Amino acid sequence: MILRIIDGPPPLPDRTSKGIAEMTINSICLAMDEQAHEIQDAWYSPTNIRATWNGTASVEDASSALGVSRAKGYDLVRRGEFPCRVLRIGRSTRVVTASLLRVLESGEPEYSGTQAELCTLS
């Protein structure tokens, strides 16, 4: 491992053709990254979800739409704290799309995951 000791601020990129090319490539990469985020945001917009998704969605897609990771989404499902209605069908777990849309549009969790207590008649 080679350690480099720098006295003062890092050097500015040189204005040679190689330095300018590196700056151009970096700006292109930043622009592409911003476009990728815009496309992803558009994919998970309520309008697109309403138009293209089926009645249920995977936990992974629903988690992405809510802005959390896949692992966090499955963790919330396991703990019963996912903010949308979740269906367990055999070994598969699906999220109700209509419930997801209501959560995205209102910003409030629709399904708190708290178990309803059973009332017994006395």
Side-chain angles (χ1 to χ4, degrees):
M1 176 189 263
I2 299 173
L3 296 175
R4 182 174 161 202
I5 300 173
I6 299 175
D7 293 330
L12 295 173
D14 58 355
R15 295 293 179 197
T16 63
S17 60
K18 181 181 175 188
I20 293 172
E22 287 177 2
M23 290 172 38
T24 304
I25 290 171
N26 288 340
S27 62
I28 290 171
C29 290
L30 287 173
M32 289 175 62
D33 189 42
E34 289 174 5
Q35 287 177 346
H37 285 295
E38 289 173 8
I39 291 170
Q40 184 175 5
D41 290 343
W43 174 252
Y44 294 116
S45 70
T47 304
N48 188 55
I49 292 171
R50 191 174 286 108
T52 60
W53 290 21
N54 294 324
T56 62
S58 67
V59 174
E60 182 174 355
D61 284 340
S63 298
S64 295
L66 293 169
V68 297
S69 69
R70 174 184 177 269
K72 181 68 173 176
Y74 277 106
D75 184 47
L76 291 171
V77 168
R78 183 181 52 77
R79 291 186 305 185
E81 296 175 1
F82 201 79
C84 308
R85 292 217 37 182
V86 175
L87 301 174
R88 293 186 189 268
I89 304 168
R91 295 180 64 187
S92 176
T93 304
R94 305 291 291 177
V95 176
V96 177
T97 304
S99 176
L100 174 65
L101 286 169
R102 285 189 289 270
V103 170
L104 287 173
E105 290 171 346
S106 70
E108 294 291 323
E110 178 178 283
Y111 202 69
S112 67
T114 57
Q115 299 293 330
E117 294 183 24
L118 295 176
C119 297
T120 56
L121 298 174
S122 300

